[in-house]
Amino acid sequence: MPYINETYMPYINETYMPYINMSSSTSIQIFSLEPFMHYTFIVQALVKHTLENGDEQDLWGNPSIEKSFVTRQSEPSRPRHLSVIQKYLTSVSVTVDWHGPLLPNGLNSYIIYYRAGIHIYTTLTNDTRIANTNDARPYTLSGLQPSTYYTIWVHAVNKEESITLKSKPSNLQRFRTLAGAPSQPYGLQCMNRTSSSVRLLWRPPLHPNGLIAKYNIMLAEGRLVNP
């Protein structure tokens, strides 16, 4: 019975790479493929023919039809070089930019996580999800509080059917939003009235949105008219 050698040839970037199966088996498990990569395979059988002088002759058959598939997505590597664009920082928003994963391993989307405070273990974590498009970065995150410290980081995410494959976090960035206009003082009272003076008392704004530098007091004058 002639010896049969089957050649499996993955097709990547228009190049066939020989993958030799040194047996007559009609199945093989191929390892070390790249995630989310398009491959095309052909199979070609080889018969070893022994000549009268003892030399062997390779007799190749015609290749099979091509078979193509895409490997599944896997966890991407972490996003890189997260940075805060200072010139776009406002009292209620921040604009951030980052580089995508070196190994995307799929069709990436991103989750931006942020927390009030300079430590990632303080207060509640918020997140926002954005798609991987060329216009997604830089990304402006709004709805922040004025004059507040935040910590922010990014994860890349692939989705394979119902399974979410999330990367390790990017580097952390810490920033403080700019000061904003304070809310109104409240609880204004008039105390110790005399014929020529009065003492005013009030409570500071519930949302100072920065360090209160001073208060502006406005007085309107009007004489009472006897009925």
Side-chain angles (χ1 to χ4, degrees):
M1 179 178 180
Y3 180 81
I4 298 178
N5 181 24
E6 296 167 350
T7 302
Y8 297 75
M9 307 182 78
Y11 175 80
I12 311 175
N13 298 330
E14 303 181 352
T15 303
Y16 280 105
M17 300 183 301
Y19 189 100
I20 306 298
N21 177 29
M22 300 298 293
S23 76
S24 59
S25 171
T26 58
S27 69
I28 189 173
Q29 186 76 24
I30 298 178
F31 297 95
S32 302
L33 301 180
E34 296 293 329
F36 201 62
M37 180 70 73
H38 178 267
Y39 290 92
T40 298
F41 283 83
I42 60 172
V43 179
Q44 190 174 20
L46 170 67
V47 172
K48 293 284 191 181
H49 174 63
T50 303
L51 301 175
E52 292 182 358
N53 60 4
D55 293 339
E56 286 190 339
Q57 181 183 20
D58 291 344
L59 302 175
W60 287 98
N62 293 326
S64 68
I65 60 172
E66 294 182 343
K67 180 67 176 179
S68 298
F69 69 95
V70 177
T71 50
R72 292 181 179 272
Q73 299 183 71
S74 69
E75 177 185 306
S77 59
R78 69 181 75 209
R80 302 165 293 138
H81 309 308
L82 175 66
S83 61
V84 172
I85 303 178
Q86 293 293 334
K87 67 179 180 179
Y88 297 137
L89 184 63
T90 73
S91 60
V92 294
S93 68
V94 64
T95 299
V96 293
D97 198 5
W98 63 90
H99 294 177
L102 280 175
L103 299 174
N105 294 336
L107 295 171
N108 298 135
S109 61
Y110 295 98
I111 307 177
I112 300 175
Y113 290 91
Y114 60 100
R115 286 183 175 180
I118 60 173
H119 302 292
I120 64 172
Y121 302 109
T122 59
T123 73
L124 182 65
T125 299
N126 300 282
D127 68 79
T128 184
R129 295 172 183 263
I130 63 173
N132 181 23
T133 67
N134 290 332
D135 331 342
R137 305 193 305 269
Y139 185 81
T140 299
L141 191 65
S142 57
L144 305 180
Q145 296 300 315
S147 193
T148 302
Y149 287 99
Y150 285 93
T151 301
I152 190 168
W153 65 100
V154 179
H155 289 263
V157 176
N158 290 331
K159 191 140 189 170
E160 183 64 47
E161 297 178 348
S162 61
I163 301 173
T164 298
L165 304 163
K166 188 166 69 172
S167 74
K168 294 179 179 178
S170 68
N171 57 299
L172 301 179
Q173 281 291 337
R174 297 177 175 89
F175 64 93
R176 186 182 185 182
T177 50
L178 303 183
S183 60
Q184 66 188 45
Y186 70 101
L188 179 61
Q189 300 180 61
C190 299
M191 309 289 292
N192 303 332
R193 289 179 295 160
T194 71
S195 60
S196 60
S197 68
V198 68
R199 180 175 178 79
L200 301 180
L201 296 177
W202 63 88
R203 293 185 178 277
L206 287 174
H207 303 288
N209 296 334
L211 181 64
I212 301 295
K214 65 178 182 178
Y215 292 96
N216 189 29
I217 300 170
M218 293 169 284
L219 175 65
E221 184 180 60
R223 294 186 179 275
L224 292 176
V225 179
N226 291 328

Short mmCIF file of all heavy atoms in Angstrom, two decimals, residues 30-78:
data_model
loop_
_atom_site.label_atom_id
_atom_site.label_comp_id
_atom_site.label_asym_id
_atom_site.label_seq_id
_atom_site.Cartn_x
_atom_site.Cartn_y
_atom_site.Cartn_z
N ILE A 30 -5.15 21.67 13.94
CA ILE A 30 -4.11 22.66 13.67
C ILE A 30 -4.13 23.72 14.78
O ILE A 30 -5.19 24.29 15.08
CB ILE A 30 -4.30 23.31 12.29
CG1 ILE A 30 -4.19 22.24 11.22
CG2 ILE A 30 -3.29 24.42 12.05
CD1 ILE A 30 -4.40 22.74 9.82
N PHE A 31 -3.00 23.97 15.36
CA PHE A 31 -2.89 24.90 16.49
C PHE A 31 -2.12 26.16 16.08
O PHE A 31 -1.63 26.28 14.96
CB PHE A 31 -2.19 24.22 17.67
CG PHE A 31 -2.94 23.04 18.22
CD1 PHE A 31 -2.63 21.75 17.79
CD2 PHE A 31 -3.96 23.21 19.14
CE1 PHE A 31 -3.32 20.65 18.28
CE2 PHE A 31 -4.66 22.12 19.64
CZ PHE A 31 -4.34 20.84 19.21
N SER A 32 -2.03 27.08 17.04
CA SER A 32 -1.23 28.31 16.90
C SER A 32 -1.74 29.23 15.80
O SER A 32 -0.97 29.95 15.18
CB SER A 32 0.25 27.98 16.67
OG SER A 32 0.76 27.22 17.74
N LEU A 33 -3.05 29.19 15.54
CA LEU A 33 -3.63 30.16 14.62
C LEU A 33 -3.90 31.48 15.36
O LEU A 33 -3.97 31.51 16.58
CB LEU A 33 -4.94 29.61 14.03
CG LEU A 33 -4.82 28.30 13.25
CD1 LEU A 33 -6.20 27.88 12.73
CD2 LEU A 33 -3.83 28.41 12.12
N GLU A 34 -4.05 32.55 14.61
CA GLU A 34 -4.28 33.86 15.20
C GLU A 34 -5.78 34.09 15.40
O GLU A 34 -6.59 33.69 14.55
CB GLU A 34 -3.72 34.96 14.28
CG GLU A 34 -2.21 34.90 14.11
CD GLU A 34 -1.48 35.22 15.40
OE1 GLU A 34 -2.02 36.01 16.20
OE2 GLU A 34 -0.38 34.70 15.59
N PRO A 35 -6.18 34.75 16.51
CA PRO A 35 -7.60 35.06 16.70
C PRO A 35 -8.12 36.01 15.63
O PRO A 35 -7.39 36.88 15.13
CB PRO A 35 -7.64 35.73 18.08
CG PRO A 35 -6.34 35.38 18.73
CD PRO A 35 -5.35 35.20 17.64
N PHE A 36 -9.37 35.84 15.27
CA PHE A 36 -10.10 36.72 14.34
C PHE A 36 -9.30 36.94 13.05
O PHE A 36 -9.12 38.04 12.58
CB PHE A 36 -10.41 38.06 15.01
CG PHE A 36 -11.54 38.79 14.34
CD1 PHE A 36 -12.80 38.24 14.29
CD2 PHE A 36 -11.33 40.02 13.76
CE1 PHE A 36 -13.85 38.92 13.66
CE2 PHE A 36 -12.36 40.70 13.12
CZ PHE A 36 -13.62 40.15 13.08
N MET A 37 -8.81 35.82 12.51
CA MET A 37 -8.01 35.85 11.28
C MET A 37 -8.72 35.00 10.22
O MET A 37 -9.26 33.93 10.52
CB MET A 37 -6.61 35.31 11.54
CG MET A 37 -5.70 35.30 10.33
SD MET A 37 -5.21 36.94 9.79
CE MET A 37 -4.05 37.38 11.09
N HIS A 38 -8.71 35.49 9.00
CA HIS A 38 -9.29 34.74 7.89
C HIS A 38 -8.24 33.76 7.34
O HIS A 38 -7.13 34.17 7.00
CB HIS A 38 -9.72 35.71 6.79
CG HIS A 38 -10.29 35.01 5.59
ND1 HIS A 38 -9.53 34.66 4.49
CD2 HIS A 38 -11.54 34.59 5.32
CE1 HIS A 38 -10.30 34.07 3.60
NE2 HIS A 38 -11.52 34.01 4.08
N TYR A 39 -8.62 32.50 7.28
CA TYR A 39 -7.75 31.46 6.74
C TYR A 39 -8.45 30.74 5.60
O TYR A 39 -9.67 30.55 5.63
CB TYR A 39 -7.37 30.43 7.80
CG TYR A 39 -6.44 30.92 8.88
CD1 TYR A 39 -6.93 31.45 10.07
CD2 TYR A 39 -5.06 30.85 8.73
CE1 TYR A 39 -6.08 31.91 11.07
CE2 TYR A 39 -4.20 31.30 9.72
CZ TYR A 39 -4.72 31.82 10.88
OH TYR A 39 -3.86 32.26 11.86
N THR A 40 -7.66 30.34 4.62
CA THR A 40 -8.15 29.47 3.56
C THR A 40 -7.22 28.25 3.47
O THR A 40 -6.00 28.40 3.47
CB THR A 40 -8.16 30.21 2.21
OG1 THR A 40 -9.04 31.32 2.29
CG2 THR A 40 -8.64 29.28 1.09
N PHE A 41 -7.82 27.06 3.44
CA PHE A 41 -7.04 25.82 3.40
C PHE A 41 -7.31 25.06 2.11
O PHE A 41 -8.42 25.10 1.56
CB PHE A 41 -7.42 24.90 4.58
CG PHE A 41 -6.85 25.32 5.89
CD1 PHE A 41 -7.46 26.30 6.65
CD2 PHE A 41 -5.68 24.74 6.37
CE1 PHE A 41 -6.93 26.69 7.87
CE2 PHE A 41 -5.14 25.12 7.56
CZ PHE A 41 -5.76 26.09 8.32
N ILE A 42 -6.28 24.37 1.64
CA ILE A 42 -6.45 23.33 0.62
C ILE A 42 -5.75 22.07 1.12
O ILE A 42 -4.88 22.14 1.99
CB ILE A 42 -5.87 23.75 -0.74
CG1 ILE A 42 -4.37 24.02 -0.64
CG2 ILE A 42 -6.61 24.93 -1.33
CD1 ILE A 42 -3.71 24.25 -2.00
N VAL A 43 -6.13 20.94 0.59
CA VAL A 43 -5.50 19.66 0.93
C VAL A 43 -4.99 19.01 -0.36
O VAL A 43 -5.70 18.99 -1.37
CB VAL A 43 -6.49 18.71 1.63
CG1 VAL A 43 -5.81 17.37 1.95
CG2 VAL A 43 -7.03 19.35 2.91
N GLN A 44 -3.76 18.51 -0.29
CA GLN A 44 -3.16 17.85 -1.45
C GLN A 44 -2.50 16.56 -0.99
O GLN A 44 -1.78 16.55 0.00
CB GLN A 44 -2.13 18.78 -2.10
CG GLN A 44 -1.62 18.33 -3.44
CD GLN A 44 -0.72 19.37 -4.08
OE1 GLN A 44 -0.20 20.24 -3.39
NE2 GLN A 44 -0.52 19.27 -5.39
N ALA A 45 -2.80 15.48 -1.66
CA ALA A 45 -2.26 14.17 -1.28
C ALA A 45 -0.97 13.88 -2.04
O ALA A 45 -0.77 14.32 -3.19
CB ALA A 45 -3.29 13.08 -1.56
N LEU A 46 -0.10 13.15 -1.36
CA LEU A 46 1.20 12.78 -1.94
C LEU A 46 1.38 11.27 -1.84
O LEU A 46 1.17 10.68 -0.79
CB LEU A 46 2.33 13.50 -1.19
CG LEU A 46 3.76 13.05 -1.50
CD1 LEU A 46 4.15 13.41 -2.93
CD2 LEU A 46 4.74 13.65 -0.50
N VAL A 47 1.76 10.67 -2.95
CA VAL A 47 2.09 9.24 -2.98
C VAL A 47 3.60 9.10 -3.17
O VAL A 47 4.19 9.75 -4.05
CB VAL A 47 1.34 8.50 -4.10
CG1 VAL A 47 1.84 7.07 -4.24
CG2 VAL A 47 -0.15 8.52 -3.83
N LYS A 48 4.22 8.28 -2.31
CA LYS A 48 5.65 7.98 -2.45
C LYS A 48 5.81 6.73 -3.31
O LYS A 48 5.38 5.64 -2.92
CB LYS A 48 6.27 7.75 -1.07
CG LYS A 48 6.32 8.98 -0.17
CD LYS A 48 7.43 9.93 -0.59
CE LYS A 48 7.64 11.02 0.45
NZ LYS A 48 8.72 11.95 0.03
N HIS A 49 6.42 6.89 -4.46
CA HIS A 49 6.61 5.76 -5.38
C HIS A 49 8.10 5.36 -5.37
O HIS A 49 8.98 6.21 -5.54
CB HIS A 49 6.19 6.16 -6.79
CG HIS A 49 6.48 5.12 -7.82
ND1 HIS A 49 5.91 3.85 -7.79
CD2 HIS A 49 7.31 5.14 -8.91
CE1 HIS A 49 6.35 3.15 -8.81
NE2 HIS A 49 7.21 3.89 -9.51
N THR A 50 8.36 4.09 -5.15
CA THR A 50 9.74 3.59 -5.13
C THR A 50 10.14 3.11 -6.52
O THR A 50 9.49 2.24 -7.10
CB THR A 50 9.90 2.45 -4.11
OG1 THR A 50 9.49 2.92 -2.83
CG2 THR A 50 11.34 1.98 -4.04
N LEU A 51 11.21 3.71 -7.05
CA LEU A 51 11.71 3.33 -8.36
C LEU A 51 12.54 2.04 -8.28
O LEU A 51 12.87 1.56 -7.20
CB LEU A 51 12.57 4.47 -8.93
CG LEU A 51 11.86 5.82 -9.08
CD1 LEU A 51 12.85 6.89 -9.53
CD2 LEU A 51 10.70 5.71 -10.06
N GLU A 52 12.87 1.48 -9.43
CA GLU A 52 13.62 0.22 -9.48
C GLU A 52 14.99 0.36 -8.84
O GLU A 52 15.54 -0.59 -8.28
CB GLU A 52 13.76 -0.25 -10.92
CG GLU A 52 12.46 -0.68 -11.56
CD GLU A 52 12.66 -1.19 -12.98
OE1 GLU A 52 13.82 -1.16 -13.44
OE2 GLU A 52 11.67 -1.63 -13.58
N ASN A 53 15.57 1.57 -8.92
CA ASN A 53 16.91 1.77 -8.34
C ASN A 53 16.84 2.06 -6.84
O ASN A 53 17.85 2.35 -6.20
CB ASN A 53 17.65 2.89 -9.05
CG ASN A 53 16.91 4.23 -8.96
OD1 ASN A 53 15.89 4.33 -8.29
ND2 ASN A 53 17.43 5.24 -9.65
N GLY A 54 15.63 2.05 -6.27
CA GLY A 54 15.46 2.27 -4.84
C GLY A 54 15.17 3.70 -4.46
O GLY A 54 14.82 3.98 -3.30
N ASP A 55 15.32 4.61 -5.41
CA ASP A 55 14.98 6.00 -5.11
C ASP A 55 13.47 6.16 -5.00
O ASP A 55 12.70 5.40 -5.60
CB ASP A 55 15.51 6.93 -6.20
CG ASP A 55 17.04 6.98 -6.22
OD1 ASP A 55 17.64 6.62 -5.18
OD2 ASP A 55 17.60 7.35 -7.26
N GLU A 56 13.06 7.21 -4.20
CA GLU A 56 11.63 7.49 -4.04
C GLU A 56 11.25 8.67 -4.92
O GLU A 56 12.00 9.64 -5.07
CB GLU A 56 11.28 7.81 -2.58
CG GLU A 56 11.28 6.58 -1.70
CD GLU A 56 10.70 6.89 -0.32
OE1 GLU A 56 10.70 8.08 0.05
OE2 GLU A 56 10.27 5.96 0.37
N GLN A 57 10.06 8.57 -5.50
CA GLN A 57 9.54 9.63 -6.34
C GLN A 57 8.25 10.17 -5.71
O GLN A 57 7.39 9.39 -5.31
CB GLN A 57 9.27 9.11 -7.75
CG GLN A 57 8.74 10.16 -8.71
CD GLN A 57 8.43 9.57 -10.08
OE1 GLN A 57 8.25 8.35 -10.21
NE2 GLN A 57 8.36 10.42 -11.09
N ASP A 58 8.15 11.53 -5.61
CA ASP A 58 6.94 12.16 -5.07
C ASP A 58 5.92 12.34 -6.18
O ASP A 58 6.20 12.98 -7.21
CB ASP A 58 7.26 13.52 -4.46
CG ASP A 58 8.09 13.39 -3.19
OD1 ASP A 58 8.15 12.28 -2.64
OD2 ASP A 58 8.65 14.42 -2.75
N LEU A 59 4.74 11.79 -5.98
CA LEU A 59 3.65 11.93 -6.94
C LEU A 59 2.51 12.71 -6.28
O LEU A 59 1.78 12.20 -5.44
CB LEU A 59 3.15 10.54 -7.39
CG LEU A 59 4.20 9.62 -8.03
CD1 LEU A 59 3.60 8.25 -8.31
CD2 LEU A 59 4.73 10.26 -9.32
N TRP A 60 2.40 14.00 -6.64
CA TRP A 60 1.38 14.87 -6.04
C TRP A 60 0.09 14.80 -6.84
O TRP A 60 0.10 14.88 -8.07
CB TRP A 60 1.87 16.32 -6.02
CG TRP A 60 2.94 16.58 -5.00
CD1 TRP A 60 4.29 16.63 -5.19
CD2 TRP A 60 2.73 16.84 -3.61
NE1 TRP A 60 4.94 16.88 -4.02
CE2 TRP A 60 4.00 17.03 -3.02
CE3 TRP A 60 1.60 16.93 -2.80
CZ2 TRP A 60 4.17 17.29 -1.68
CZ3 TRP A 60 1.76 17.20 -1.46
CH2 TRP A 60 3.03 17.37 -0.91
N GLY A 61 -1.01 14.69 -6.14
CA GLY A 61 -2.32 14.77 -6.76
C GLY A 61 -2.78 16.22 -6.88
O GLY A 61 -2.09 17.15 -6.44
N ASN A 62 -3.92 16.42 -7.50
CA ASN A 62 -4.47 17.77 -7.60
C ASN A 62 -4.95 18.25 -6.22
O ASN A 62 -5.43 17.46 -5.41
CB ASN A 62 -5.63 17.81 -8.59
CG ASN A 62 -5.18 17.57 -10.01
OD1 ASN A 62 -4.07 17.97 -10.38
ND2 ASN A 62 -6.00 16.89 -10.81
N PRO A 63 -4.84 19.55 -5.94
CA PRO A 63 -5.33 20.06 -4.66
C PRO A 63 -6.85 20.05 -4.58
O PRO A 63 -7.55 20.08 -5.61
CB PRO A 63 -4.79 21.49 -4.62
CG PRO A 63 -4.59 21.87 -6.04
CD PRO A 63 -4.22 20.60 -6.76
N SER A 64 -7.34 19.98 -3.37
CA SER A 64 -8.79 20.04 -3.14
C SER A 64 -9.32 21.44 -3.43
O SER A 64 -8.55 22.37 -3.70
CB SER A 64 -9.09 19.69 -1.68
OG SER A 64 -8.58 20.73 -0.83
N ILE A 65 -10.61 21.60 -3.36
CA ILE A 65 -11.17 22.94 -3.44
C ILE A 65 -10.81 23.69 -2.14
O ILE A 65 -10.50 23.08 -1.11
CB ILE A 65 -12.71 22.91 -3.62
CG1 ILE A 65 -13.37 22.20 -2.43
CG2 ILE A 65 -13.08 22.25 -4.92
CD1 ILE A 65 -14.89 22.30 -2.45
N GLU A 66 -10.80 25.00 -2.19
CA GLU A 66 -10.45 25.79 -1.02
C GLU A 66 -11.57 25.78 0.01
O GLU A 66 -12.75 25.70 -0.32
CB GLU A 66 -10.17 27.24 -1.42
CG GLU A 66 -8.95 27.42 -2.30
CD GLU A 66 -8.70 28.89 -2.63
OE1 GLU A 66 -9.63 29.70 -2.44
OE2 GLU A 66 -7.59 29.22 -3.08
N LYS A 67 -11.17 25.85 1.28
CA LYS A 67 -12.13 25.98 2.38
C LYS A 67 -11.68 27.15 3.25
O LYS A 67 -10.54 27.18 3.72
CB LYS A 67 -12.18 24.69 3.22
CG LYS A 67 -13.16 24.76 4.39
CD LYS A 67 -14.59 24.85 3.90
CE LYS A 67 -15.58 24.82 5.06
NZ LYS A 67 -16.98 24.93 4.59
N SER A 68 -12.56 28.12 3.45
CA SER A 68 -12.21 29.32 4.21
C SER A 68 -13.02 29.42 5.49
O SER A 68 -14.16 28.94 5.58
CB SER A 68 -12.45 30.58 3.36
OG SER A 68 -11.65 30.57 2.21
N PHE A 69 -12.45 30.06 6.48
CA PHE A 69 -13.15 30.33 7.74
C PHE A 69 -12.42 31.45 8.48
O PHE A 69 -11.30 31.82 8.12
CB PHE A 69 -13.22 29.07 8.62
CG PHE A 69 -11.89 28.64 9.17
CD1 PHE A 69 -11.48 29.03 10.44
CD2 PHE A 69 -11.03 27.86 8.41
CE1 PHE A 69 -10.25 28.65 10.94
CE2 PHE A 69 -9.80 27.47 8.90
CZ PHE A 69 -9.41 27.87 10.17
N VAL A 70 -13.06 31.98 9.48
CA VAL A 70 -12.47 33.01 10.34
C VAL A 70 -12.41 32.46 11.76
O VAL A 70 -13.43 31.97 12.28
CB VAL A 70 -13.30 34.32 10.32
CG1 VAL A 70 -12.71 35.36 11.27
CG2 VAL A 70 -13.35 34.88 8.90
N THR A 71 -11.25 32.53 12.39
CA THR A 71 -11.13 32.07 13.77
C THR A 71 -11.93 33.00 14.69
O THR A 71 -12.21 34.16 14.35
CB THR A 71 -9.66 32.05 14.22
OG1 THR A 71 -9.04 33.31 13.90
CG2 THR A 71 -8.90 30.94 13.54
N ARG A 72 -12.27 32.50 15.85
CA ARG A 72 -13.09 33.27 16.78
C ARG A 72 -12.29 34.43 17.37
O ARG A 72 -11.07 34.43 17.40
CB ARG A 72 -13.59 32.37 17.92
CG ARG A 72 -14.61 31.33 17.47
CD ARG A 72 -15.08 30.50 18.66
NE ARG A 72 -16.06 29.51 18.28
CZ ARG A 72 -17.37 29.71 18.21
NH1 ARG A 72 -17.86 30.92 18.51
NH2 ARG A 72 -18.19 28.75 17.85
N GLN A 73 -13.03 35.43 17.86
CA GLN A 73 -12.40 36.54 18.56
C GLN A 73 -11.90 36.05 19.93
O GLN A 73 -12.37 35.05 20.46
CB GLN A 73 -13.39 37.67 18.76
CG GLN A 73 -13.92 38.26 17.47
CD GLN A 73 -14.84 39.43 17.71
OE1 GLN A 73 -14.40 40.50 18.10
NE2 GLN A 73 -16.12 39.22 17.47
N SER A 74 -10.94 36.79 20.48
CA SER A 74 -10.47 36.50 21.83
C SER A 74 -10.24 37.82 22.55
O SER A 74 -10.46 38.90 22.00
CB SER A 74 -9.19 35.66 21.80
OG SER A 74 -8.10 36.42 21.30
N GLU A 75 -9.78 37.72 23.79
CA GLU A 75 -9.57 38.92 24.60
C GLU A 75 -8.51 39.82 23.96
O GLU A 75 -7.42 39.37 23.64
CB GLU A 75 -9.12 38.51 26.00
CG GLU A 75 -8.80 39.67 26.92
CD GLU A 75 -8.26 39.17 28.23
OE1 GLU A 75 -8.92 38.33 28.88
OE2 GLU A 75 -7.15 39.61 28.64
N PRO A 76 -8.83 41.10 23.77
CA PRO A 76 -7.81 42.01 23.20
C PRO A 76 -6.76 42.38 24.25
O PRO A 76 -6.99 42.23 25.45
CB PRO A 76 -8.63 43.23 22.80
CG PRO A 76 -9.81 43.21 23.73
CD PRO A 76 -10.10 41.77 24.03
N SER A 77 -5.64 42.87 23.77
CA SER A 77 -4.67 43.44 24.71
C SER A 77 -5.19 44.81 25.16
O SER A 77 -6.16 45.34 24.61
CB SER A 77 -3.29 43.55 24.07
OG SER A 77 -3.34 44.36 22.92
N ARG A 78 -4.56 45.38 26.16
CA ARG A 78 -5.10 46.60 26.77
C ARG A 78 -4.92 47.81 25.86
O ARG A 78 -3.94 47.89 25.09
CB ARG A 78 -4.43 46.85 28.11
CG ARG A 78 -2.97 47.24 28.03
CD ARG A 78 -2.39 47.46 29.42
NE ARG A 78 -2.16 46.21 30.11
CZ ARG A 78 -2.20 46.07 31.44
NH1 ARG A 78 -2.45 47.11 32.21
NH2 ARG A 78 -1.99 44.90 31.99
#
